[in-house]
């Protein structure tokens, strides 16, 4: 298939991730120059899952991002709309309750989770604001959201270098390490088109989240946004 368009049609994006499932985690480690593991650690610290809590890990892919929450003693539900990703995850972590679901129509009741989180998946959702409201809906009052997503580097010269890397270096590297390099051309384009830190914070607030704040990682290449449900 060709890479998904920036219209982000759900069936196209899901099929794209189905194609890259087998080597997805390895490819991310290579393309991020090893930073992906540090970002996952930062997410785990921000979520601060505690024993007995229920955590929704949306866009969980193969379930790698869910492991720290399970290790902390929480009941984690990895959810993704790519069946290929979930199948790969089930091979690796057969005990995880991997769940197929659309971020804009989550298959959960109101007020179920103590914490909800999504890493590097929100920008692939066709209706971002609807997804943010759905995350709010399934969160308990007093619960929290953590969003880890690519963002805008804060230092101008580095931002220029980073943009050049995305569009020139990333696709050739992806051709070597990924089973579907066209997918990573789409991912590079989607990163460039994504809102910056203040814009995403505004969208969280508009969706109903309170106490919204963010923290930059790797100079703003990635940002952690947080909020609570009152």
């Amino acid at each position: 298939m060709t890479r998904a368009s920036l219209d982000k049609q759900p069936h196209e994006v899901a099929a794209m991730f189905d194609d890259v499932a087998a080597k997805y985690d390895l490819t991310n480690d290579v393309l991020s120059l090893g930073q992906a593991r540090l970002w996952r650690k930062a997410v785990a610290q921000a979520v601060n899952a505690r024993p007995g809590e229920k955590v929704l890990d949306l866009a969980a892919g193969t379930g790698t991002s869910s492991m720290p929450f399970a290790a902390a003693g929480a009941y984690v539900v990895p959810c993704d709309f790519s069946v290929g990703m979930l199948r790969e995850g089930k091979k690796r972590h057969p005990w995880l309750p991997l769940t197929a679901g659309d971020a804009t129509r989550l298959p959960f009741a109101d007020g179920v989770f103590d914490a909800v989180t999504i890493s590097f998946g929100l920008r692939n959702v066709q209706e971002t604001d609807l997804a943010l409201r759905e995350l709010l809906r399934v969160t308990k009052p007093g619960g929290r959201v953590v969003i880890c997503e690519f963002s805008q580097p804060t230092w101008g010269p580095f931002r220029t270098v980073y943009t050049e890397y995305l569009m020139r270096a990333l696709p050739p590297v992806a051709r070597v390490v990924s089973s579907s390099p066209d997918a990573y051309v789409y991912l590079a384009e989607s990163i460039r088109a994504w809102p910056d830190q203040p814009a995403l914070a505004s969208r969280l607030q508009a969706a109903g989240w309170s106490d919204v704040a963010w923290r930059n990682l790797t100079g703003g290449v990635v940002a952690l946004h947080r909020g609570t449900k009152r």
Side-chain angles (χ1 to χ4, degrees):
M1 65 165 280
T2 57
R3 71 178 188 271
S5 71
L6 287 181
D7 291 336
K8 296 183 279 191
Q9 295 298 320
H11 67 282
E12 292 184 355
V13 178
M16 181 188 72
F17 280 101
D18 289 347
D19 287 346
V20 302
K23 294 184 178 179
Y24 184 72
D25 293 324
L26 171 63
T27 304
N28 283 351
D29 280 340
V30 172
L31 294 179
S32 69
L33 307 178
Q35 293 294 298
R37 298 186 184 197
L38 298 177
W39 298 335
R40 281 197 295 270
K41 185 176 180 180
V43 170
Q45 291 173 340
V47 171
N48 190 27
R50 294 181 283 275
E53 286 192 325
K54 292 186 178 77
V55 177
L56 172 63
D57 185 15
L58 190 56
T62 61
T64 299
S65 60
S66 301
M67 299 305 288
F69 310 129
Y75 178 78
V76 59
V77 178
C79 182
D80 202 284
F81 73 158
S82 165
V83 175
M85 284 284 198
L86 295 171
R87 284 189 183 128
E88 186 66 27
K90 205 64 179 175
K91 294 177 189 175
R92 302 180 192 181
H93 317 294
W95 52 273
L96 280 175
L98 292 144
T99 303
D102 183 337
T104 63
R105 295 186 301 275
L106 292 172
F108 309 109
D110 297 354
V112 172
F113 297 99
D114 298 283
V116 295
T117 183
I118 179 170
S119 294
F120 307 111
L122 188 61
R123 78 181 187 287
N124 296 318
V125 178
Q126 187 178 33
E127 297 179 73
T128 303
D129 299 320
L130 180 54
L132 293 176
R133 292 195 297 272
E134 272 290 273
L135 285 171
L136 184 76
R137 179 184 67 78
V138 301
T139 303
K140 295 177 181 178
R144 55 207 185 274
V145 65
V146 174
I147 296 172
C148 182
E149 189 53 89
F150 289 108
S151 199
Q152 297 294 324
T154 54
W155 188 45
F158 175 59
R159 185 164 56 245
T160 300
V161 171
Y162 171 67
T163 302
E164 289 297 308
Y165 168 73
L166 280 177
M167 299 313 299
R168 296 190 181 186
L170 189 148
V173 173
R175 277 193 287 273
V176 175
V177 298
S178 172
S179 54
S180 182
D182 275 353
Y184 286 87
V185 176
Y186 157 78
L187 291 174
E189 292 172 347
S190 70
I191 291 168
R192 290 184 65 181
W194 186 244
D196 63 11
Q197 293 89 323
L200 181 55
S202 294
R203 293 175 83 160
L204 274 161
Q205 291 169 333
W209 291 97
S210 302
D211 305 320
V212 174
W214 74 84
R215 177 165 69 93
N216 289 318
L217 305 176
T218 317
V221 168
V222 165
L224 282 183
H225 282 73
R226 289 170 289 178
T228 57
K229 177 177 179 177
R230 288 185 176 166

